[in-house]
Amino acid sequence: MCIRDTTIRTLDPDNPVVDSIAIKNGRILAVGESALRLQESALETVDLGTNVIVPGFIEPHTHPDLCAQMYSWVDISGFTYHSAEDVMHALRECVHRFEPGDWIFVFGYDPVLYDDLLGLSLAELDEISPYNPIAVMTQSMHTLYVNSLALDTAGITNESEPPRFGGEYVKNALGELTGKIEEAPAMRPFLRFFDDSLQVRSLNLSRQYERYRSAGITMIGSAGLFFRDSDTADLYRNLASDSNCKIRNAVYLRHMDLANNVLEPFLANGRFGFNGVKLWYDGSPYTGTMLLDSPYLETKLTTSGLAIPSGSTGRSNWDIDDFGALVNELHEAGIQILVHAQGDRATREVLDAFEQTLSRSNRREHRHRIEHCALIEPGEVERAARLGVSISFHMNHVKYYGDRLRDDIIGSDRINQLMLAASAISHGIRISLHADSPMFPANPLDLMQTAVTRESITGIKINESEKIGREEALRAVTSDAAWQLGFDHEVGTIEVGKLADLTKTEEDPIMRLNPTLYKVVQQAQADPKDFADPFQKIMEQQHQWIDKGDGEFINDLIYRSDLDHPL
């Protein structure tokens, strides 16, 4: 098969722009002039005109299992409702759709986006849902609000101890539960009541893979997959081998699930498998669990909306010695480590643990990563580079919450430590960008635009000196993301011998980067009327893609290498 296009951006420094690619047996056989010479012998030649082909987009930090679950919940997100009043109306009205006694799960409550939303109290949720256990997840996914029926049904009482590895059943000064639940370990007693049968899981997961596909994504990194059973592993395997799926999935397990790991290594098949371990060192700035050197600001948002205690600097989920010992154990076992770290103190302590391990280890090639990295001091960026620790930036902190972080959560001084992407690149770190779905919709072009402009949704520039170039941004969602996942020898650039994972866009992201201008060609296959999808309006496709079907070119979504037949 030969593909011709006005612009094919290979991201190969030696051959950056070509106008043709030849593909055989799922791999790139030739590029540029050598591909043109094979055109006459090709089974098929496809001319894409003035469109642009780039390496397939990669989302290195996402949660397909949580997306499959939470996008099927009642949606009250700021992406769907445009005022605090509308959000609360939707919350109150949804209760009437359930039979008494049924659990109600709600996603997208966001006091950061809407100033008039305050933290939900136990009494308020008891009044809203007197006959049903209800659990309301915030957009950040680090806080869950529940009512008394939910606490009773889950068996959580005033005497319940905090779970291991982080998490809190928040209590008032009298030691009484407030209905606020912080961090994933404390949420599990409630989330187990969600209907997560294999049939429901299969349907919701297929819909989530379609969302990735509709964003031009050909590969994901599942940063902490929350399952332990072989049936679910089989479900993912079947999806990965489905000719309609086209999404590679490199899985990072929680450390406590390693003993029950039933996954083959990702590199054994290049489609789905175990790739490493994900650890959570601290929490979220929007829950007050991001670990800081100095306290959070005391504002209406932090005190009333987020209920962060006065003088709080957040907290770590770990005893620092236990964390260091685990990092050392995983490193010496040859396992890649991803660490969620948001605050300036958190990123420093995580790098301390990496440095202690690496200073006494003979293993130098590791590709360990810090995830999100909201705040990091300039000197720590240099140390990360020296240690070979890369960073995956959660750039939507800038877009959606940049103003609130600066004015209401961390202040104008610390905002200069927010998402130091340009500094990281200048020190030689290969960075990536991610959306952390389901927190935000997977949309690599949107992440690129924010990294290039540093512009929030209000038009304010946030730490503008840390903006990066367009090609650097494109690499952060293709070649450098592939490197972080340890699969850069197969994908990430368009080079001879690599797998032909490609994405086609109508505009050139290097010359003109504006995701809203990319033409909608085909919607996701799943009908949005059939399920709750809080990001449907945002996720209208901003790309065109290609696919090789049964011998004929179809104007579909993504071309993936293992769905081709030879020249």
Side-chain angles (χ1 to χ4, degrees):
M1 176 185 181
C2 187
I3 300 174
R4 299 195 61 183
D5 199 322
T6 301
T7 304
I8 300 174
R9 291 203 172 272
T10 67
L11 295 184
D12 175 5
D14 297 327
N15 201 13
V17 181
V18 299
D19 60 3
S20 58
I21 312 170
I23 298 168
K24 183 176 182 178
N25 293 336
R27 291 189 178 271
I28 298 170
L29 179 65
V31 296
E33 291 183 5
S34 57
L36 283 176
R37 289 194 291 269
L38 295 173
Q39 182 175 332
E40 290 185 3
S41 61
L43 291 178
E44 183 177 11
T45 297
V46 179
D47 192 333
L48 300 180
T50 60
N51 296 285
V52 179
I53 293 177
V54 297
F57 291 144
I58 297 172
E59 170 59 78
H61 183 121
T62 187
H63 304 278
D65 49 349
L66 297 183
C67 291
Q69 186 178 85
M70 292 180 193
Y71 287 173
S72 68
W73 293 2
V74 175
D75 166 32
I76 60 168
S77 74
F79 295 97
T80 301
Y81 298 98
H82 304 298
S83 70
E85 182 180 29
D86 289 344
V87 168
M88 291 307 298
H89 177 76
L91 176 59
R92 291 179 178 278
E93 287 299 309
C94 79
V95 175
H96 303 303
R97 306 204 301 263
F98 294 83
E99 294 294 326
D102 289 349
W103 272 83
I104 302 173
F105 289 92
V106 183
F107 179 63
Y109 190 78
D110 197 348
V112 185
L113 203 57
Y114 293 125
D115 192 45
D116 292 335
L117 289 178
L118 304 179
L120 293 167
S121 69
L122 189 65
E124 188 174 16
L125 282 180
D126 285 345
E127 182 268 323
I128 289 173
S129 183
Y131 307 113
N132 299 77
I134 189 169
V136 181
M137 183 74 75
T138 60
Q139 191 72 45
S140 73
M141 303 181 296
H142 286 260
T143 302
L144 186 74
Y145 295 103
V146 300
N147 67 353
S148 296
L149 278 174
L151 290 167
D152 292 343
T153 307
I156 303 302
T157 69
N158 292 337
E159 288 71 43
S160 295
E161 293 293 326
R164 295 181 65 200
F165 309 121
E168 193 76 33
Y169 307 122
V170 178
K171 301 172 184 177
N172 61 22
L174 300 177
E176 300 168 334
L177 292 166
T178 65
K180 184 183 182 185
I181 313 299
E182 294 178 348
E183 303 302 334
M187 297 176 188
R188 290 185 195 121
F190 306 93
L191 301 187
R192 65 189 173 93
F193 289 98
F194 174 70
D195 179 7
D196 199 26
S197 64
L198 196 62
Q199 182 178 5
V200 170
R201 203 178 313 164
S202 176
L203 177 62
N204 289 340
L205 190 60
S206 295
R207 287 167 171 167
Q208 178 54 30
Y209 268 48
E210 182 60 38
R211 295 185 189 101
Y212 292 132
R213 196 168 92 112
S214 71
I217 292 167
T218 57
M219 182 176 180
I220 62 173
S222 292
L225 209 55
F226 294 86
F227 74 83
R228 302 180 184 181
D229 59 284
S230 59
D231 287 342
T232 305
D234 288 340
L235 173 61
Y236 277 92
R237 288 190 191 97
N238 292 337
L239 269 173
S241 60
D242 185 346
S243 62
N244 293 316
C245 172
K246 313 177 184 71
I247 307 292
R248 306 182 190 279
N249 186 352
V251 174
Y252 295 83
L253 295 177
R254 301 176 300 171
H255 73 283
M256 68 280 284
D257 293 336
L258 276 178
N260 300 313
N261 179 24
V262 296
L263 305 182
E264 60 270 41
F266 175 77
L267 292 179
N269 56 58
R271 296 177 184 171
F272 170 74
F274 173 72
N275 215 45
V277 166
K278 162 81 177 297
L279 306 176
W280 284 260
Y281 193 75
D282 67 348
S284 167
Y286 317 115
T287 295
T289 51
M290 172 175 71
L291 182 62
L292 300 171
D293 281 319
S294 302
Y296 287 84
L297 299 182
E298 293 191 24
T299 64
K300 177 185 175 183
L301 173 61
T302 56
T303 58
S304 299
L306 304 178
I308 299 174
S310 175
S312 174
T313 57
R315 63 172 183 267
S316 170
N317 294 323
W318 288 86
D319 172 85
I320 195 165
D321 293 331
D322 290 344
F323 180 77
L326 180 59
V327 166
N328 186 72
E329 178 184 345
L330 294 171
H331 174 81
E332 293 302 332
I335 295 173
Q336 185 189 11
I337 307 167
L338 278 55
V339 185
H340 168 124
Q342 299 263 32
D344 48 5
R345 180 177 167 187
T347 52
R348 183 177 65 254
E349 291 183 357
V350 167
L351 286 172
D352 287 344
F354 278 134
E355 185 164 32
Q356 289 169 10
T357 287
L358 293 171
S359 66
R360 55 179 182 256
S361 175
N362 293 322
R363 180 188 169 208
R364 297 302 174 194
E365 173 63 25
H366 55 77
R367 303 197 189 186
H368 300 323
R369 281 169 33 195
I370 294 180
E371 304 300 292
H372 308 323
C373 201
L375 298 180
I376 185 169
E377 296 173 336
E380 297 304 316
V381 175
E382 186 278 330
R383 180 162 64 137
R386 175 168 49 82
L387 295 173
V389 175
S390 64
I391 301 172
S392 186
F393 286 107
H394 191 349
M395 196 56 64
N396 279 328
H397 280 298
V398 172
K399 178 173 182 177
Y400 292 102
Y401 300 142
D403 302 20
R404 304 304 301 276
L405 283 165
R406 183 195 61 190
D407 300 337
D408 297 293
I409 299 177
I410 59 173
S412 57
D413 290 336
R414 282 182 289 191
I415 204 69
N416 295 320
Q417 299 176 18
L418 183 68
M419 302 288 161
L420 301 189
S423 295
I425 291 173
S426 71
H427 283 291
I429 295 175
R430 299 184 72 170
I431 72 166
S432 67
L433 307 174
H434 66 264
D436 198 22
S437 300
M439 185 174 179
F440 295 109
N443 188 335
L445 285 170
D446 192 53
L447 294 172
M448 288 174 60
Q449 177 164 298
T450 302
V452 167
T453 67
R454 302 290 297 204
E455 196 170 287
S456 74
I457 55 176
T458 64
I460 300 297
K461 302 287 187 178
I462 302 296
N463 200 10
E464 188 177 7
S465 63
E466 288 296 324
K467 66 184 181 183
I468 64 178
R470 291 188 177 113
E471 183 169 333
E472 291 169 331
L474 181 58
R475 290 185 179 279
V477 296
T478 54
S479 58
D480 289 343
W483 180 87
Q484 288 188 347
L485 294 174
F487 207 52
D488 53 308
H489 61 292
E490 293 280 36
V491 300
T493 59
I494 301 173
E495 297 182 70
V496 173
K498 286 194 172 183
L499 296 168
D501 287 13
L502 310 171
T503 296
K504 187 183 103 177
T505 65
E506 191 176 61
E507 300 270 359
D508 187 344
I510 299 298
M511 302 303 295
R512 183 177 184 180
L513 182 56
N514 186 345
T516 63
L517 298 179
Y518 282 69
K519 184 177 178 181
V520 174
V521 172
Q522 180 175 341
Q523 295 290 350
Q525 294 173 0
D527 186 347
K529 296 178 182 177
D530 292 340
F531 61 98
D533 188 343
F535 303 122
Q536 185 62 36
K537 294 177 182 177
I538 289 180
M539 289 295 292
E540 292 176 350
Q541 275 77 348
Q542 299 158 354
H543 326 275
Q544 293 178 334
W545 295 271
I546 57 176
D547 181 34
K548 189 65 174 59
D550 297 328
E552 64 177 328
F553 173 76
I554 59 175
N555 191 14
D556 195 357
L557 298 177
I558 299 172
Y559 177 85
R560 204 180 78 178
S561 57
D562 45 5
L563 307 176
D564 186 34
H565 47 152
L567 287 164

